[in-house]
Amino acid sequence: MSVRLIHGPIVSCADLTAQRALFEGVFGLKPVAEQSLDRPAVKALWGLDGHGAKTMLLETPGTHFGVRLVQFDPVSPTIIRNRNSGFDCDALKVIDFYAPDFDAANAHLQSKGFKLKDDVSEYDLPNGKFIEGHLWGPDEVVTALISGPKDFFRDFATTTDKLFSEPQSISSPVEDQPKVVDFYEKVLGLSVVHEYFIDDPSFSKLVGTPHKLQLRAKNIGLKRTEPYFGIIHYGLPKGAYKSLRDKAVFPNRGLAGGTLFVDHIEDHAREAKAFGVEIHSAITEVSLSPYGKVRSFTLRAPHGVIHHLIET
């Protein structure tokens, strides 16, 4: 269809400054726009009543990819995720960053006052050996450092010659993987660009589940070198996890959604209605920095994830 760019994740936070310390201070993204939104603007953009907001857009230098931070007013006391049950489904969980030198990247984040979870996973895939560590940051937003064969990541990230790549993947554990994949294909016109499987015991420790994890992932996007959505099924038994779908809404805090730029917003609105997903805000015109007047449409996918579509 008409998606031309997956920009990256949307983080709902209690404090823009705390999130900047992570995304700018650690991962090197730079602010490109800041804006105060009154209640009618918040309603028009995301369908949320009774809240104003401050928002900041950060991007990885040299790319059009990044993170939108939103501090709603009033701030919600509810946080979407809990680090003691990081395997719960139906909400976004982690933003992946490729780190060519894992040890150097880890030392850098420690110098900024952050710390990876103690359990770091090393696992083998057909493409080689990988190492992955998770950082639980402000508002329980999880970021991942992933390192592996350099030849492999040249085909899986735009920025491969710095300490960190752009936000490479926005991943979500789901209960009904086929339905979620169907949503991305039919409503957004995206496709599976990569699939992989992990059953290494060290990954179970990283995720924090006592059960044997058999992860099956489908990465969905436009192409492998640009940000994509990771649709993950952990292969855990029923009853070993719970759904966060009811909590994964604005203004609750955490990793809540993603921003996509489209050319024909009506096409996606039509397909969303046909698919039967939640529409949080119908197509409307609103001013959003740094783009000026845009057409905006916000929907919620079957796995609870907010998708903000923008036509400039």
Side-chain angles (χ1 to χ4, degrees):
M1 246 184 285
S2 77
V3 174
R4 69 172 188 269
L5 181 76
I6 300 172
H7 178 269
I10 304 172
V11 172
S12 172
C13 60
D15 180 14
L16 294 177
T17 302
Q19 291 292 349
R20 282 186 69 179
L22 175 64
F23 287 106
E24 185 178 5
V26 173
F27 293 110
L29 284 75
K30 299 300 181 185
V32 296
E34 189 170 6
Q35 184 178 6
S36 292
L37 301 167
D38 60 17
R39 292 186 176 191
V42 169
K43 173 72 171 177
L45 283 166
W46 300 305
L48 179 65
D49 284 310
H51 287 74
K54 296 177 183 177
T55 180
M56 175 174 286
L57 193 72
L58 299 100
E59 293 182 344
T60 300
T63 78
H64 296 293
F65 313 124
V67 177
R68 179 170 288 281
L69 306 177
V70 185
Q71 180 183 328
F72 289 105
D73 180 18
V75 171
S76 172
T78 302
I79 300 176
I80 297 168
R81 282 208 169 267
N82 182 333
R83 67 183 66 196
N84 295 320
S85 54
F87 42 85
D88 289 335
C89 71
D90 294 338
L92 288 173
K93 178 184 176 181
V94 60
I95 307 167
D96 292 337
F97 289 87
Y98 166 52
D101 186 330
F102 187 91
D103 291 338
N106 191 16
H108 173 73
L109 71 87
Q110 289 184 47
S111 75
K112 299 294 185 178
F114 292 91
K115 186 179 184 299
L116 291 179
K117 187 179 177 183
D118 288 340
D119 295 302
V120 172
S121 177
E122 295 188 48
Y123 50 90
D124 292 307
L125 295 178
N127 312 94
K129 183 177 287 292
F130 293 76
I131 181 169
E132 180 171 344
H134 288 179
L135 189 166
W136 285 77
D139 306 294
E140 301 290 61
V141 172
V142 187
T143 50
L145 274 59
I146 303 177
S147 193
K150 288 182 170 56
D151 288 345
F152 172 84
F153 277 102
R154 288 190 188 98
D155 194 34
F156 276 85
T158 297
T159 303
T160 59
D161 58 349
K162 297 179 181 177
L163 203 56
F164 300 101
S165 71
E166 72 284 353
Q168 176 201 10
S169 170
I170 322 164
S171 297
S172 173
V174 302
E175 185 164 23
D176 190 342
Q177 194 178 48
K179 185 174 183 179
V180 176
V181 172
D182 197 34
F183 158 79
Y184 280 106
E185 291 177 342
K186 290 182 177 175
V187 177
L188 298 178
L190 302 175
S191 58
V192 176
V193 295
H194 183 62
E195 299 183 50
Y196 61 95
F197 174 82
I198 301 174
D199 64 354
D200 192 285
S202 70
F203 204 87
S204 297
K205 291 182 179 180
L206 175 67
V207 172
T209 173
H211 299 277
K212 179 175 173 56
L213 184 147
Q214 294 180 307
L215 182 149
R216 291 172 173 80
K218 294 178 182 289
N219 293 337
I220 298 182
L222 294 168
K223 53 186 177 181
R224 292 185 295 188
T225 53
E226 295 186 355
Y228 44 75
F229 295 97
I231 310 305
I232 295 169
H233 196 285
Y234 281 142
L236 297 174
K238 291 280 189 180
Y241 57 91
K242 63 178 181 288
S243 173
L244 298 174
R245 197 178 192 284
D246 290 344
K247 294 175 69 176
V249 292
F250 290 151
N252 293 346
R253 289 151 48 205
L255 182 54
T259 304
L260 303 92
F261 287 87
V262 303
D263 288 324
H264 305 292
I265 205 164
E266 290 95 345
D267 292 348
H268 301 288
R270 182 184 65 249
E271 294 300 329
K273 183 178 180 181
F275 198 89
V277 297
E278 294 178 22
I279 307 301
H280 280 204
S281 181
I283 297 174
T284 186
E285 188 175 274
V286 65
S287 180
L288 183 64
S289 183
Y291 317 111
K293 288 287 186 182
V294 302
R295 301 179 77 204
S296 170
F297 175 64
T298 300
L299 58 90
R300 194 164 179 237
H303 56 315
V305 176
I306 295 167
H307 292 69
H308 183 205
L309 277 56
I310 297 172
E311 180 184 289
T312 54

